[in-house]
Amino acid sequence: MEYTTFIIGTSLFGGGFLLLLLFLYLKRKLLIPFLLMGVGVVLCFIGLILAQDFSQTP
């Protein structure tokens, strides 16, 4: 589950980055690429938090 969440987040970030490059070239509004990149970063952090092993904490 955490690996899937992390991979979805990284793919959203990568897709947002590619859209950002395309939209910069076409001189369009950049709201959608930045939203995709932001959601991707949040999902990456959620995946990393889920993967953390809390059983070893004192």
Side-chain angles (χ1 to χ4, degrees), residues 4 6-7 9 13 16 18-19 21-22 24 26-27 30-31 37 39 41 43 45-48 50 52-53:
T4 306
F6 184 78
I7 293 298
F13 185 83
L18 291 176
L19 273 178
L21 293 177
L22 179 67
L24 280 171
L26 297 174
K27 297 183 181 179
L30 303 177
L31 179 66
M37 291 170 71
V39 169
V41 167
L43 284 176
F45 279 124
I46 289 173
L48 289 174
L50 288 174
Q52 197 173 26
D53 185 19

Side-chain angles (χ1 to χ4, degrees), residues 8-10 17 19-20 24-25 31-32 40 42-43 45 49 51:
I8 290 170
T10 55
F17 181 72
L19 273 178
L20 177 67
L24 280 171
Y25 180 73
L31 179 66
I32 295 173
V42 169
L43 284 176
F45 279 124
I49 289 170

